[in-house]
Amino acid sequence: MFYLSLFGDYLKQYFKMRLAYRMDFINGIVSDFAFQITNLVFILVVFQHTSLLKGWTRDEIIFIYGFFLVPYAVFSTFFNLWEFQEKYIIKGEMDRVLTRPAHNLFQVMLETMDPQSLAGAVTGIVIMVYAGFHMGLSLSWYDPLVFVFLVLSGVLVYGGVYTAIAAIGFFSDSKTGISPMIWNIQNYGRYPVNIYNKVIRFLLTWILPFAFVGIYPAAYFLSREEYYMYTLLTPVVGVVFFVLGIMVWNYGVKNYRGAGS
């Protein structure tokens, strides 16, 4: 109840600050929507020159892209750790966080959460509905529950990977870290993995498992039976990588020596 109450207080404070500048809040949502639409247009342009991409149709790839956006939007809302190293390590904000009773990672998540990023989930769902309608997909009554379960599993994958990467900041004084590079790699997960070579497929499946936030869970709704084993592994991979991320974070906190003078 303590953590739930704390979450509610931070959420109210967030909206008080953001709605004080309503146009800035709206512009952020619009710019995010425009960015996602630009990526969608790129897919459409590619399919102006081919009808299939390694056995995948245009609508299937659009559906995968839409699914990819949903867990990413939820992750971005609660794991907005992009500036962790500069703000909390270099500027010393982590020292303040460690003097408070709540768990340090939970505090960082609350202070950096960005609910407007959830607009990306709406965009993703709209894209999925559009592609699903064109493919004539039919859903069972339990498919929405499966969808939520797989999305949350994808969020755990994201959370684990980026929590571990943010924890590198406890051992380095670099301003940016490697998050931008990982962000570029994650975008490969929004396309079918069989369009890449074996090395990239292995990387996206077992090292930086971003295929588990796009193609593998989306394959269930596309009835791609050859990927069902990976779909079933999605929650397992999510839990494993999230636990690993927390372990790396806790190890980093344990070895953190403060911002210095």
Side-chain angles (χ1 to χ4, degrees), residues 19-246:
L19 293 179
Y21 303 94
R22 289 178 175 82
M23 285 307 300
D24 182 61
F25 181 75
I26 294 172
N27 287 338
I29 294 176
V30 171
S31 62
D32 181 72
F33 176 76
F35 177 74
Q36 306 303 347
I37 293 301
T38 300
N39 289 326
L40 178 60
V41 169
F42 172 76
I43 296 174
L44 295 176
V45 169
V46 169
F47 276 93
Q48 292 295 318
H49 305 283
T50 181
S51 58
L52 291 173
L53 185 62
K54 282 284 187 175
W56 298 86
T57 67
R58 184 198 71 166
D59 290 326
E60 286 178 320
I61 291 183
I62 290 176
F63 185 92
I64 295 168
Y65 174 65
F67 187 97
F68 174 88
L69 293 179
V70 180
Y72 179 71
V74 179
F75 154 77
S76 297
T77 299
F78 298 105
F79 291 89
N80 190 15
L81 301 173
W82 308 112
E83 298 179 355
F84 170 78
Q85 196 147 327
E86 180 179 3
K87 180 179 179 181
Y88 287 89
I89 303 299
I90 297 176
K91 293 183 178 180
E93 290 294 306
M94 197 65 195
D95 293 357
R96 169 183 57 81
V97 169
L98 292 174
T99 63
R100 296 178 173 179
H103 190 274
N104 43 80
L105 178 59
F106 187 72
Q107 289 183 67
V108 172
M109 290 170 59
L110 290 180
E111 292 181 359
T112 59
M113 69 176 174
D114 184 24
Q116 81 175 43
S117 294
L118 283 175
V122 177
T123 304
I125 292 173
V126 169
I127 291 174
M128 291 173 63
V129 170
Y130 164 82
F133 175 78
H134 278 265
M135 290 185 291
L137 293 183
S138 59
L139 298 177
S140 302
W141 66 268
Y142 51 81
D143 282 340
L145 299 177
V146 174
F147 172 74
V148 171
F149 185 64
L150 292 175
V151 164
L152 293 178
S153 299
V155 173
L156 291 179
V157 172
Y158 274 127
V161 170
Y162 281 102
T163 297
I165 290 171
I168 296 175
F170 293 116
F171 308 97
S172 169
D173 58 0
S174 172
K175 186 175 181 179
T176 58
I178 63 172
S179 292
M181 180 184 71
I182 302 301
W183 187 86
N184 287 326
I185 293 174
Q186 84 175 24
N187 288 324
Y188 288 99
R190 66 191 185 196
Y191 301 111
V193 290
N194 66 321
I195 70 174
Y196 307 122
N197 64 41
K198 293 181 180 180
V199 174
I200 296 179
R201 289 203 299 268
F202 183 82
L203 173 69
L204 293 175
T205 301
W206 306 116
I207 308 301
L208 295 171
F210 294 120
F212 286 97
V213 300
I215 171 58
Y216 293 151
Y220 166 79
F221 301 100
L222 296 173
S223 299
R224 287 279 187 159
E225 296 183 4
E226 66 269 31
Y227 293 105
Y228 278 3
M229 183 189 73
Y230 294 101
T231 301
L232 293 174
L233 282 175
T234 299
V236 177
V237 172
V239 171
V240 168
F241 272 80
F242 188 71
V243 170
L244 288 174
I246 297 298

